Structures are given as C-alpha cells and as structure tokens.
Amino acid sequence: MIIRREEPKDYPIVFTLLEAAFRDEMHSDHKEQFLVERLRKSQAFVNELSIVAEQDGEIVGYILLTEIDIQQNEELTPSLALAPVAVLPTHQYKGIGGQLIEYAHNKARSLGYQSVVVLGHETYYPKFGYQPAENFGIRFPFDVPAENCMVLELVPGSLKNVKGLVRYSPAFFE
Ligand SMILES: CC(C)(COP(=O)(O)OP(=O)(O)OC[C@H]1O[C@@H](n2cnc3c(N)ncnc32)[C@H](O)[C@@H]1OP(=O)(O)O)[C@@H](O)C(=O)NCCC(=O)NCCS
C-alpha cells in the first residue's frame, strides 16, 4: 500500500470514497464529501495533510487534517482538526485507517504542528493516543457527548497549559 499526498486528479475519487464510507454511518450527516470540498478551498487547508491510501492503483482510504485554533480569551493556540478519515467499506478492518492516522500524525509533527483535536468514536481514537478533551479543559463548539471530544499531543506536554474553545474553520458550518 502507498500512502501519499492527495492530488487534484484524486478529488472525484475521494468524493465517491467519502460517500461510500459514511453511507451507513449512524453519526454522520452523509455530507463529509462536501465538507472536504469546502475545506480544500479554505485557509485551513494544508496540502501535505490531505492524504490518500492507494492499493493496486486504487484509492481505498483518505484522511484530512486542517488548521484550527484553541481560543482562551484573546489567546489563540494553533492546532489541527482530524476530519474526516475514511476507508472504503470493502477495505475496512484491515489496518488502513490506523496507518493513515499514524502517517498523518507524523507528517503533521514534521511540519511543526503540536496537537490534533477530533470529534469521533470514543473507542477508536484512544488507540492512537487521543485523550478526552475535557481533561485539558478544551471545549468543542458542538452539542455532543464529552466522550467524543478528544485531543492528541503530537509533542508531549504541548497542551499542558492550553485550554479553551476549539475554533473551527467556517467551512465546518456552511
Ligand atoms: C473508522 C474507519 C476510518 C476505520 O478504518 P479501518 O481501516 O477500518 O480501521 P483499522 O482497520 O485501522 O482499525 C480497525 C479498528 O477500528 C474499529 N472500527 C472500524 N470501523 C469502525 C467504525 N465504523 N466505528 C467504530 N470503530 C470502528 C474496529 O473496531 C477496529 O478495532 P479493533 O482493532 O480493536 O478491532 C473506517 O471504518 C471508516 O471509514 N468508517 C466510516 C467512516 C467513519 O466513521 N469515519 C470516522 C469518522 S469519526
């Protein structure tokens, strides 16, 4: 399997992959493919952090990390949001999602980013080091259970003195 940066020629395939991956997902609005289209055009987009997994010439997985801030009063701490990660239903449970997440973390760290936030399955992300955001006093601007709001220190200790509200790109609310 090859994991590489997404290129514009991949956009239509990634669109179809997202539709298929989230089709039966209970906690999805089934619009992730449109969110990704908006994020690619937004200031939050970092091309190196839009990543595909390719197997035998076919794109089977996708992950996107985009820039966010964690805001407390006037102070903004730059961070990243993981959204979405998706693997084709025919290729799930084979470790591809996990490899994409680890690859994206390493790439983000190499670019100098220090942390990642995610809104997702409370049983999945802790495997990759994510911890409850509430342990850090970090809040999300969505009405969701606290257990689904998680954060990861890419650099140990980087969130030690960071608390506040996650400020997503406006692309998340369009
Ligand atoms: C979540 C997803 C990206 C995982 O990719 P994957 O390649 O199947 O995952 P991996 O093979 O690396 O890991 C498998 C683990 O993920 C868990 N997992 C897989 N799909 C899951 C799902 N839909 N919900 C919760 N956990 C899931 C499995 O329980 C398994 O755990 P185990 O190792 O303890 O048995 C993939 O299932 C997917 O695309 N789901 C639909 C889209 C989605 O929900 N994305 C996440 C948004 S928060």
Side-chain angles (χ1 to χ4, degrees):
M1 192 173 68
I2 299 168
I3 297 185
R4 62 166 175 84
R5 182 200 292 208
E6 183 196 37
E7 295 172 22
K9 69 171 167 57
D10 305 320
Y11 291 177
I13 299 154
V14 169
F15 186 97
T16 311
L17 181 151
L18 290 167
E19 271 183 324
F22 282 97
R23 188 167 293 139
D24 298 325
E25 184 56 33
M26 204 170 65
H27 300 291
S28 162
D29 63 2
H30 311 291
K31 291 180 180 163
E32 286 78 5
Q33 64 276 27
F34 301 111
L35 170 65
V36 168
E37 284 188 328
R38 292 195 300 275
L39 283 168
R40 285 197 199 100
K41 293 181 202 149
S42 76
Q43 288 186 353
F45 187 67
V46 181
N47 197 175
E48 291 91 333
L49 300 179
S50 186
I51 295 163
V52 296
E54 200 174 52
Q55 210 166 42
D56 302 325
E58 183 193 7
I59 292 181
V60 295
Y62 175 71
I63 188 166
L64 180 61
L65 302 182
T66 51
E67 292 185 338
I68 53 127
D69 290 305
I70 302 167
Q71 179 173 20
Q72 187 178 36
N73 302 320
E74 305 296 298
E75 197 178 332
L76 296 178
T77 303
S79 182
L80 293 166
L82 191 173
V85 54
V87 172
L88 277 183
T90 47
H91 289 70
Q92 288 176 8
Y93 295 92
K94 294 177 182 165
I96 297 172
Q99 286 185 55
L100 275 170
I101 291 171
E102 299 284 12
Y103 184 97
H105 288 167
N106 288 333
K107 179 62 76 176
R109 200 180 290 109
S110 75
L111 293 171
Y113 294 97
Q114 305 221 337
S115 62
V116 185
V117 311
V118 72
L119 181 61
H121 298 289
E122 69 279 12
T123 55
Y124 189 55
Y125 293 97
K127 289 179 210 173
F128 307 100
Y130 285 83
Q131 302 176 58
E134 65 179 354
N135 293 359
F136 293 82
I138 294 173
R139 293 169 287 114
F140 284 52
F142 304 110
D143 187 17
V144 290
E147 61 190 14
N148 299 120
C149 299
M150 291 165 272
V151 298
L152 170 75
E153 292 181 327
L154 290 171
V155 177
S158 57
L159 293 176
K160 193 162 170 250
N161 295 312
V162 178
K163 48 171 74 82
L165 181 65
V166 177
R167 304 300 302 257
Y168 282 88
S169 160
F172 278 90
F173 303 100
E174 284 168 26

